[in-house]
Every structure is written in C-alpha cells, then in structure tokens.
C-alpha cells in the first residue's frame, strides 16, 4: 500500500521534500498557501499577515554553486549571486524539470495536522 504524504509549503525546502517523496514512490501532495511556488523567494509587494517576506532588492548571500539543488545545477548563464527574482526563476525551473507542479495545490492553507491512526 502506497503511503500518502503531505508537504507543507512550496518553498525551497518544500520542493526538495516533494521531489524526494515522489522519487521513493510515496503519494505526495504539497499544500501551498499562496498563489505561487517559491516561499520567501517569491517577493510580494503587499504584506500578508502570517507570511514572512524578503524585500525587493534581496540577493542570495551564497554563490550559485552553494544555493543550487545537488540534482539540478543553476544554469551557467545565471549570475554568481542571484537576485530573488532570478532565484525564483531557478525554483520554477526545478519544479518544471521534475514535474512537481502537478503535485502542488496552490492557495491551500493548512490549518491543522494530525497523525493518522495507522501511522508507522
């Protein structure tokens, strides 16, 4: 029997967790409260209560070789230190490359979580 897994948030960690779950054959669904992937790296002009944010001018503080996922290097034509919009573009590339988007439910807030009775 295939186990069902919920991944909460489609930011940098949520995308990696979703991909890993799918790789090992789990039935994984990622719930993202906003209207797009990217988490903190998806800059929004408007402030939303309960949502952490970055400011519009933020760049990564680590080089692209340190910021990338090990299974998908950041393209060579990207700058060494990425503006948040460029890093978001990379996260979208990752999502598309591993076909993650179809496993992500956008605009879906997780209000509570509880362990299933048959959890093992």
């Amino acid at each position: 029997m295939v186990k069902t897994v919920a991944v909460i948030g489609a930011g940098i960690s949520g995308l990696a967790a979703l991909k890993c779950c799918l790789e090992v054959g789990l039935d994984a669904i990622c719930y993202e409260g906003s209207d797009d992937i990217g988490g903190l790296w998806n800059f929004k002009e408007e402030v939303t209560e309960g949502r952490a944010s970055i400011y519009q001018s933020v760049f990564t503080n680590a080089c692209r070789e340190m910021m990338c996922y090990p299974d998908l290097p950041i393209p060579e034509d990207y700058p060494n230190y990425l503006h948040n919009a460029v890093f978001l573009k990379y996260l979208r590339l990752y999502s598309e490359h591993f076909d993650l988007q179809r496993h992500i439910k956008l605009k879906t807030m997780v209000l509570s979580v509880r362990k299933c009775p048959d959890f093992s």
Side-chain angles (χ1 to χ4, degrees), residues 3 16 25 36 42 59 62 81 86 92 94-95 98 111 117:
K3 300 245 185 220
D36 199 0
N42 191 340
F59 278 75
Y81 291 88
V86 177
R92 289 188 176 124
Y94 185 84
S95 178
F98 293 106
L111 301 176

PDB file of all heavy atoms in Angstrom, residues 3 16 25 36 42 59 62 81 86 92 94-95 98 111 117:
ATOM      1  N   LYS A   3       1.961   4.942   0.766  1.00  0.00           N
ATOM      2  CA  LYS A   3       1.696   5.921   1.824  1.00  0.00           C
ATOM      3  C   LYS A   3       1.468   7.299   1.210  1.00  0.00           C
ATOM      4  O   LYS A   3       2.098   7.674   0.235  1.00  0.00           O
ATOM      5  CB  LYS A   3       2.878   5.994   2.778  1.00  0.00           C
ATOM      6  CG  LYS A   3       3.188   4.675   3.447  1.00  0.00           C
ATOM      7  CD  LYS A   3       2.951   4.790   4.898  1.00  0.00           C
ATOM      8  CE  LYS A   3       3.398   3.498   5.560  1.00  0.00           C
ATOM      9  NZ  LYS A   3       2.547   3.062   6.584  1.00  0.00           N
ATOM     10  N   ALA A  16      12.072  20.420  -2.483  1.00  0.00           N
ATOM     11  CA  ALA A  16      13.015  19.308  -2.335  1.00  0.00           C
ATOM     12  C   ALA A  16      12.348  18.118  -1.643  1.00  0.00           C
ATOM     13  O   ALA A  16      12.522  16.964  -2.064  1.00  0.00           O
ATOM     14  CB  ALA A  16      14.241  19.759  -1.556  1.00  0.00           C
ATOM     15  N   GLY A  25       8.492   6.779  -4.328  1.00  0.00           N
ATOM     16  CA  GLY A  25       7.204   6.155  -4.599  1.00  0.00           C
ATOM     17  C   GLY A  25       6.071   6.519  -3.666  1.00  0.00           C
ATOM     18  O   GLY A  25       5.030   5.861  -3.675  1.00  0.00           O
ATOM     19  N   ASP A  36       1.516  30.897  -5.680  1.00  0.00           N
ATOM     20  CA  ASP A  36       2.676  30.530  -6.482  1.00  0.00           C
ATOM     21  C   ASP A  36       3.699  29.816  -5.605  1.00  0.00           C
ATOM     22  O   ASP A  36       3.639  29.902  -4.376  1.00  0.00           O
ATOM     23  CB  ASP A  36       3.307  31.788  -7.083  1.00  0.00           C
ATOM     24  CG  ASP A  36       4.216  31.517  -8.274  1.00  0.00           C
ATOM     25  OD1 ASP A  36       4.374  30.347  -8.667  1.00  0.00           O
ATOM     26  OD2 ASP A  36       4.768  32.492  -8.814  1.00  0.00           O
ATOM     27  N   ASN A  42       9.701  34.329  -3.287  1.00  0.00           N
ATOM     28  CA  ASN A  42       8.671  34.908  -4.147  1.00  0.00           C
ATOM     29  C   ASN A  42       8.237  36.235  -3.528  1.00  0.00           C
ATOM     30  O   ASN A  42       7.310  36.298  -2.730  1.00  0.00           O
ATOM     31  CB  ASN A  42       7.488  33.948  -4.280  1.00  0.00           C
ATOM     32  CG  ASN A  42       6.535  34.370  -5.358  1.00  0.00           C
ATOM     33  OD1 ASN A  42       6.511  35.517  -5.773  1.00  0.00           O
ATOM     34  ND2 ASN A  42       5.736  33.435  -5.806  1.00  0.00           N
ATOM     35  N   PHE A  59      19.396  39.811  -2.615  1.00  0.00           N
ATOM     36  CA  PHE A  59      20.187  38.869  -3.404  1.00  0.00           C
ATOM     37  C   PHE A  59      20.575  37.714  -2.496  1.00  0.00           C
ATOM     38  O   PHE A  59      20.623  37.869  -1.277  1.00  0.00           O
ATOM     39  CB  PHE A  59      21.480  39.539  -3.910  1.00  0.00           C
ATOM     40  CG  PHE A  59      21.305  40.363  -5.147  1.00  0.00           C
ATOM     41  CD1 PHE A  59      20.693  41.604  -5.087  1.00  0.00           C
ATOM     42  CD2 PHE A  59      21.744  39.885  -6.373  1.00  0.00           C
ATOM     43  CE1 PHE A  59      20.538  42.376  -6.228  1.00  0.00           C
ATOM     44  CE2 PHE A  59      21.582  40.651  -7.519  1.00  0.00           C
ATOM     45  CZ  PHE A  59      20.982  41.893  -7.452  1.00  0.00           C
ATOM     46  N   ALA A  62      24.954  33.562  -0.817  1.00  0.00           N
ATOM     47  CA  ALA A  62      25.850  32.455  -1.157  1.00  0.00           C
ATOM     48  C   ALA A  62      25.866  32.332  -2.680  1.00  0.00           C
ATOM     49  O   ALA A  62      24.886  32.665  -3.345  1.00  0.00           O
ATOM     50  CB  ALA A  62      25.368  31.155  -0.523  1.00  0.00           C
ATOM     51  N   TYR A  81      25.793  35.520  -7.853  1.00  0.00           N
ATOM     52  CA  TYR A  81      24.895  35.822  -6.740  1.00  0.00           C
ATOM     53  C   TYR A  81      23.581  36.276  -7.354  1.00  0.00           C
ATOM     54  O   TYR A  81      23.555  37.165  -8.188  1.00  0.00           O
ATOM     55  CB  TYR A  81      25.490  36.893  -5.819  1.00  0.00           C
ATOM     56  CG  TYR A  81      26.679  36.360  -5.071  1.00  0.00           C
ATOM     57  CD1 TYR A  81      27.960  36.421  -5.622  1.00  0.00           C
ATOM     58  CD2 TYR A  81      26.517  35.761  -3.832  1.00  0.00           C
ATOM     59  CE1 TYR A  81      29.050  35.896  -4.943  1.00  0.00           C
ATOM     60  CE2 TYR A  81      27.607  35.235  -3.147  1.00  0.00           C
ATOM     61  CZ  TYR A  81      28.864  35.301  -3.713  1.00  0.00           C
ATOM     62  OH  TYR A  81      29.939  34.778  -3.044  1.00  0.00           O
ATOM     63  N   VAL A  86      15.579  36.111  -9.853  1.00  0.00           N
ATOM     64  CA  VAL A  86      16.337  35.119 -10.625  1.00  0.00           C
ATOM     65  C   VAL A  86      16.339  33.783  -9.891  1.00  0.00           C
ATOM     66  O   VAL A  86      16.200  32.719 -10.500  1.00  0.00           O
ATOM     67  CB  VAL A  86      17.774  35.613 -10.901  1.00  0.00           C
ATOM     68  CG1 VAL A  86      18.580  34.558 -11.644  1.00  0.00           C
ATOM     69  CG2 VAL A  86      17.745  36.924 -11.674  1.00  0.00           C
ATOM     70  N   ARG A  92      11.381  27.692 -10.146  1.00  0.00           N
ATOM     71  CA  ARG A  92      10.377  27.291 -11.143  1.00  0.00           C
ATOM     72  C   ARG A  92      10.959  26.290 -12.135  1.00  0.00           C
ATOM     73  O   ARG A  92      10.293  25.328 -12.534  1.00  0.00           O
ATOM     74  CB  ARG A  92       9.835  28.518 -11.863  1.00  0.00           C
ATOM     75  CG  ARG A  92       8.948  29.361 -10.992  1.00  0.00           C
ATOM     76  CD  ARG A  92       8.268  30.468 -11.786  1.00  0.00           C
ATOM     77  NE  ARG A  92       7.356  31.178 -10.928  1.00  0.00           N
ATOM     78  CZ  ARG A  92       7.390  32.479 -10.722  1.00  0.00           C
ATOM     79  NH1 ARG A  92       8.282  33.233 -11.338  1.00  0.00           N
ATOM     80  NH2 ARG A  92       6.514  33.056  -9.919  1.00  0.00           N
ATOM     81  N   TYR A  94      13.334  24.163 -11.495  1.00  0.00           N
ATOM     82  CA  TYR A  94      13.419  22.908 -10.734  1.00  0.00           C
ATOM     83  C   TYR A  94      12.064  22.204 -10.703  1.00  0.00           C
ATOM     84  O   TYR A  94      11.962  21.006 -10.954  1.00  0.00           O
ATOM     85  CB  TYR A  94      13.903  23.208  -9.316  1.00  0.00           C
ATOM     86  CG  TYR A  94      14.148  21.996  -8.453  1.00  0.00           C
ATOM     87  CD1 TYR A  94      15.354  21.310  -8.523  1.00  0.00           C
ATOM     88  CD2 TYR A  94      13.190  21.556  -7.553  1.00  0.00           C
ATOM     89  CE1 TYR A  94      15.593  20.208  -7.721  1.00  0.00           C
ATOM     90  CE2 TYR A  94      13.417  20.456  -6.746  1.00  0.00           C
ATOM     91  CZ  TYR A  94      14.620  19.784  -6.838  1.00  0.00           C
ATOM     92  OH  TYR A  94      14.844  18.685  -6.035  1.00  0.00           O
ATOM     93  N   SER A  95      11.025  22.965 -10.408  1.00  0.00           N
ATOM     94  CA  SER A  95       9.674  22.410 -10.354  1.00  0.00           C
ATOM     95  C   SER A  95       9.255  21.830 -11.701  1.00  0.00           C
ATOM     96  O   SER A  95       8.676  20.740 -11.768  1.00  0.00           O
ATOM     97  CB  SER A  95       8.689  23.497  -9.910  1.00  0.00           C
ATOM     98  OG  SER A  95       7.381  23.008  -9.883  1.00  0.00           O
ATOM     99  N   PHE A  98      11.400  18.504 -12.724  1.00  0.00           N
ATOM    100  CA  PHE A  98      10.996  17.281 -12.040  1.00  0.00           C
ATOM    101  C   PHE A  98       9.477  17.091 -11.998  1.00  0.00           C
ATOM    102  O   PHE A  98       8.979  16.240 -11.270  1.00  0.00           O
ATOM    103  CB  PHE A  98      11.593  17.238 -10.626  1.00  0.00           C
ATOM    104  CG  PHE A  98      13.090  17.099 -10.644  1.00  0.00           C
ATOM    105  CD1 PHE A  98      13.902  18.177 -10.338  1.00  0.00           C
ATOM    106  CD2 PHE A  98      13.681  15.903 -11.003  1.00  0.00           C
ATOM    107  CE1 PHE A  98      15.286  18.060 -10.369  1.00  0.00           C
ATOM    108  CE2 PHE A  98      15.069  15.764 -11.042  1.00  0.00           C
ATOM    109  CZ  PHE A  98      15.870  16.851 -10.727  1.00  0.00           C
ATOM    110  N   LEU A 111      -4.447  24.247   8.054  1.00  0.00           N
ATOM    111  CA  LEU A 111      -4.884  24.803   9.328  1.00  0.00           C
ATOM    112  C   LEU A 111      -4.534  23.912  10.508  1.00  0.00           C
ATOM    113  O   LEU A 111      -4.393  24.387  11.632  1.00  0.00           O
ATOM    114  CB  LEU A 111      -6.390  25.067   9.294  1.00  0.00           C
ATOM    115  CG  LEU A 111      -6.839  26.030   8.187  1.00  0.00           C
ATOM    116  CD1 LEU A 111      -8.358  26.158   8.178  1.00  0.00           C
ATOM    117  CD2 LEU A 111      -6.176  27.387   8.341  1.00  0.00           C
ATOM    118  N   PRO A 117      -4.192   7.325  12.327  1.00  0.00           N
ATOM    119  CA  PRO A 117      -4.196   6.213  13.296  1.00  0.00           C
ATOM    120  C   PRO A 117      -3.284   5.057  12.860  1.00  0.00           C
ATOM    121  O   PRO A 117      -2.715   4.362  13.711  1.00  0.00           O
ATOM    122  CB  PRO A 117      -5.650   5.750  13.338  1.00  0.00           C
ATOM    123  CG  PRO A 117      -6.439   6.861  12.730  1.00  0.00           C
ATOM    124  CD  PRO A 117      -5.528   7.640  11.847  1.00  0.00           C
TER     125      PRO A 117
END
